[in-house]
Amino acid sequence: MNTTTIHHRTSRALALAVAGALAVLGAVSAEAQARIPGVAVTDGATLNFTAGEGEISTPDGGSIHFWGYQDIDNHEGLGAPGVGLPQYPGPTLIMSQGDTVTISLTSSLHSNQCTSMVFPGHQVTASGGSAGLLTQETCPGDAAPVSYTFTASEPGTYMYYSGTDPDLQIEMGLLGAIIVRPSMGESYAYNHADTAFDHEVMFLLTSMDPVIHQLVEQHRFAEVDLTQRWPVYWFINGRAAPDDLANAFVGWLPHQPYNCTPRMSPGQSLLVRILGGDRNQHPLHLHGNHYYEVARYGRLLSSDGIAPDLRRGKFTTLSVPGQTVDAIFTWTGEKLGWDIYGSTLDGMPAHSCQDIVDNVTGAAGADGYADLDADYPWEYCADHDKKFPVTLPEKQNLAFGGWWSGSPYMGTGGALPPGEGGLNPNSGYFFMWHSHAEKELTNFDIFPGGMLSMMVVEPPGTVID
Amino acid sequence: VEYALQLGGFDPDFHDASWTVQPLPFANMWDRYPMINGRGYPDTINPAALAAPAENGGVQSQVESSLITATQGDRVLLRLSNLNITVAHTLISPSIPMQVVGIDAKQLRSTSSENLYYTTNSVSLSGGMSADVILDTASVAPGEYYLYAANLQYLANFDEDQPTGGMMTKIVVSP
């Protein structure tokens, strides 16, 4: 058997499988929702962190010395029990609005570096340690840790990072994300129905200049010149492409637990949390459709503070240092001019585009999209049964990639040469989401890589978590 | 009247490496030929297509002028897009205010259709962004005005010691 076998399904078989899956999934599909991995913080919890050192991997076979926050209690199961590992980025803190957390921090940096944490957007009480420029600091060998306590009073996307020599320490990796879920519930970005989402993904954008990291590793601090910083590696959630497309928490990236694999099905909403984590601007360019920016810096784009009425349709978000942006993306294939689920004019089995209910309000009446219990929910009915308008070349005239299923129709495979197509088991559609500063799509001169991910629109009924 | 202005830039070393089949220097990419519609000033204000360089086999590749002409009273729509793959650009129009009516191909409106247009002298665009701006010349005296990159190092065609070049074009308002 080779990988082409799984693509020799007929669309009828798939349609039946999808219909069956939907019938079965009906009750549970609401739970099959992707969420950003991280440390779930309970109200009043104390997290014990230290700043440690390690090596991250880059996809070109390199490794870079880094400093990272390390969750000593190891909530995420990195490394040895009860020890944890320094990680890049630091643990993503998942909080609920109104909850209070205390982070107790020590410094395990070999080079006798003091460090600290700041939490922009939050009112922090810092105690212990010694007074630093921005906050209380902790130094290697201190008798007691420094602690930071704050209440996550407002929902949104935030960052934390070092407040000690931040120009160097953030470059070295001392930063992380905070997600505060609104009191309305974890399927909302903010306390408004227009911020509801099905799936969620994080784009924490950073870069590194390995020269700096090598000098720090060798304790040659006097030679570090941050004015000459010239990054050549670019990361999403601490991994450079294509490593960001691997699973989260894979053993071969022990210090880089987080991935970036945005996935959704047609009609679903995908919340994209964009965080500018380094000192450069990155124009994050999301292919496939416009999306709505609903919030910046953890605050709704709103004229009344309640509804995101000032949300803005965009196809590029210029992520700037220290800023977070929350955006909601959706996709149905609307107005492509052909039926993404197949056409009888192309010899495909017929399916219906039943549209008697408004999918959003639930009221009777057509809304232009197939109903949620139709063969293909959210199918754009105006294009129903329209044929793909291109006659595909013969296979000997095609080059293949791992993401091409062999058919232009969603959920349908076609015959492929042996070994091709194995990266798209559900026959979804792939869209590149990337920095439009395309020199950043490299790993030290090697293209492709860097600040690049692939968003997959999976056929209706695909379990995404 | 309307004009499309596409911002971009070339790093000559990268192009030479490609031409001579050498490893491509992504990491060192540094655009030193900032351009509008594929030309640097003063070619931007040449209303005609540029002649084909000898190496180009007679093919004219730089056919788009960026010269903006209007009669006083015209509302000039500029369709701005940045195709750059290294840096963000800021265009300034110091004499004629720009009314931003759309960003990323979406009209600036709130969800309750409130008008969110704004008037400015500078528009910043990263690569992959677009903006639609309107210059209202009703109260602009006939004459010549300039639209250019606010980062003045981009007003050069490779050599910054030479007279002004790069990312600049002219707006001619006639009576």
Side-chain angles (χ1 to χ4, degrees):
Chain A
M1 297 290 242
N2 61 49
T3 54
T4 62
T5 309
I6 60 170
H7 292 272
H8 285 272
R9 298 174 301 206
T10 66
S11 62
R12 177 180 297 278
L14 184 83
L16 291 171
V18 167
L22 285 172
V24 172
L25 280 170
V28 298
S29 58
E31 294 163 26
Q33 297 185 326
R35 289 290 178 272
I36 293 168
V39 176
V41 179
T42 53
D43 189 23
T46 295
L47 301 174
N48 297 296
F49 282 9
T50 191
E53 304 193 10
E55 310 290 325
I56 62 164
S57 294
T58 52
D60 55 352
S63 65
I64 303 177
H65 188 73
F66 84 108
W67 297 350
Y69 293 112
Q70 173 177 349
D71 174 17
I72 296 169
D73 301 320
N74 201 5
H75 294 88
E76 297 185 288
L78 307 181
V83 180
L85 284 174
Q87 61 188 79
Y88 182 63
T92 299
L93 308 182
I94 316 280
M95 302 183 68
S96 297
Q97 184 179 3
D99 284 0
T100 296
V101 64
T102 296
I103 294 166
S104 176
L105 179 71
T106 59
S107 176
S108 304
L109 298 174
H110 298 156
S111 35
N112 211 32
Q113 297 282 309
C114 302
T115 192
S116 62
M117 294 172 81
V118 293
F119 306 84
H122 293 101
Q123 304 241 2
V124 179
T125 303
S127 61
S130 49
L133 186 64
L134 297 179
T135 185
Q136 295 296 112
E137 299 183 340
T138 179
C139 299
D142 279 2
V146 65
S147 64
Y148 309 98
T149 300
F150 66 91
T151 299
S153 54
E154 296 286 339
T157 307
Y158 304 89
M159 274 186 283
Y160 63 83
Y161 42 81
S162 170
T164 304
D165 293 336
D167 48 349
L168 176 67
Q169 295 202 354
I170 296 173
E171 162 76 19
M172 290 304 296
L174 289 170
L175 78 163
I178 303 171
I179 289 164
V180 181
R181 303 216 178 278
S183 44
M184 218 168 143
E186 72 149 37
S187 292
Y188 298 88
Y190 291 85
N191 286 311
H192 193 278
D194 287 349
T195 66
F197 63 92
D198 297 291
H199 306 294
E200 178 187 39
V201 68
M202 183 165 87
F203 279 76
L204 172 53
L205 308 178
T206 59
S207 59
M208 282 185 177
D209 174 354
V211 172
I212 295 169
H213 293 251
Q214 193 168 39
L215 291 172
V216 168
E217 182 177 17
Q218 298 166 356
H219 295 195
R220 292 157 63 188
F221 288 93
E223 295 168 62
V224 173
D225 181 356
L226 291 161
T227 67
Q228 299 297 312
R229 179 180 180 270
W230 187 267
V232 295
Y233 288 102
W234 291 272
F235 304 89
I236 302 173
N237 303 337
R239 294 186 188 175
D243 287 352
D244 58 342
L245 299 173
N247 284 340
F249 303 106
V250 289
W252 48 276
L253 293 169
H255 295 285
Q256 296 151 279
Y258 303 137
N259 64 352
C260 181
T261 55
R263 296 165 72 208
M264 60 183 297
S265 288
Q268 293 184 326
S269 295
L270 175 59
L271 173 64
V272 187
R273 299 182 186 267
I274 304 164
L275 301 92
D278 64 359
R279 63 185 231 185
N280 295 113
Q281 305 179 52
H282 304 287
L284 189 65
H285 188 62
L286 309 188
H287 280 259
N289 206 353
H290 276 85
Y291 52 89
Y292 281 101
E293 286 183 7
V294 297
R296 288 186 203 151
Y297 295 108
R299 295 295 182 271
L300 273 184
L301 294 175
S302 173
S303 64
D304 59 5
I306 299 169
D309 60 325
L310 302 182
R311 68 186 180 187
R312 182 171 290 179
K314 300 288 292 286
F315 49 67
T316 304
T317 290
L318 180 58
S319 175
V320 300
Q323 188 185 51
T324 68
V325 174
D326 297 317
I328 294 179
F329 181 96
T330 189
W331 190 96
T332 61
E334 168 180 357
K335 296 177 184 168
L336 282 177
W338 50 283
D339 185 338
I340 61 171
Y341 300 109
S343 165
T344 54
L345 304 173
D346 240 352
M348 309 276 288
H351 62 272
S352 81
C353 199
Q354 175 190 298
D355 179 19
I356 54 176
V357 173
D358 184 307
N359 287 350
V360 175
T361 65
D367 62 356
Y369 301 96
D371 296 336
L372 299 180
D373 60 352
D375 286 347
Y376 296 109
W378 288 102
E379 177 182 350
Y380 180 65
C381 289
D383 285 342
H384 180 63
D385 208 37
K386 288 184 185 168
K387 190 180 168 192
F388 186 64
V390 175
T391 302
L392 293 178
E394 294 297 318
K395 286 180 182 53
Q396 64 267 31
N397 296 325
L398 286 173
F400 296 87
W403 292 314
W404 168 241
S405 71
S407 165
Y409 295 115
M410 179 172 288
T412 303
L416 287 167
E420 298 289 354
L423 300 177
N424 186 6
N426 304 313
S427 299
Y429 291 172
F430 283 66
F431 295 92
M432 190 161 84
W433 285 8
H434 62 98
S435 167
H436 201 284
E438 305 205 8
K439 68 169 285 187
E440 300 177 350
L441 309 187
T442 56
N443 299 316
F444 210 155
D445 270 347
I446 308 297
F447 176 91
M451 201 172 274
L452 176 166
S453 182
M454 303 299 294
M455 187 275 290
V456 195
V457 183
E458 299 277 25
T462 304
V463 176
I464 297 169
D465 53 18
Chain B
V1 290
E2 67 176 318
Y3 293 89
L5 301 180
Q6 302 183 70
L7 313 181
F10 276 173
D11 173 355
D13 295 339
F14 193 88
H15 285 255
D16 287 348
S18 173
W19 177 244
T20 55
V21 202
Q22 296 302 301
L24 297 175
F26 285 99
N28 288 327
M29 195 185 286
W30 176 26
D31 290 356
R32 279 154 290 171
Y33 284 101
M35 291 181 279
I36 304 175
N37 290 342
R39 305 182 189 177
Y41 183 86
D43 288 344
T44 50
I45 63 170
N46 183 340
L50 296 192
E55 307 93 311
N56 216 24
V59 177
Q60 289 181 314
S61 298
Q62 294 163 285
V63 296
E64 293 294 332
S65 172
S66 301
L67 178 65
I68 298 160
T69 59
T71 304
Q72 187 184 33
D74 282 348
R75 288 167 60 80
V76 183
L77 172 63
L78 300 183
R79 299 181 180 274
L80 308 175
S81 59
N82 187 355
L83 308 177
N84 201 285
I85 60 165
T86 55
V87 292
H89 283 299
T90 298
L91 278 185
I92 58 172
S93 172
S95 307
I96 308 177
M98 297 184 279
Q99 184 183 39
V100 182
V101 300
I103 290 176
D104 281 5
K106 289 288 185 188
Q107 194 179 5
L108 293 187
R109 288 275 189 261
S110 72
T111 53
S112 51
S113 297
E114 193 182 350
N115 186 342
L116 301 177
Y117 296 172
Y118 64 95
T119 301
T120 179
N121 286 108
S122 75
V123 173
S124 294
L125 297 171
S126 66
M129 276 182 69
S130 73
D132 297 302
V133 306
I134 290 177
L135 312 179
D136 186 349
T137 64
S139 55
V140 174
E144 295 188 345
Y145 301 89
Y146 285 86
L147 180 75
Y148 55 93
N151 290 52
L152 301 182
Q153 77 269 29
Y154 298 135
L155 299 186
N157 299 315
F158 187 76
D159 185 348
E160 296 184 19
D161 290 334
Q162 295 299 311
T164 301
M167 191 170 287
M168 179 161 87
T169 192
K170 188 161 70 175
I171 304 164
V172 180
V173 178
S174 52

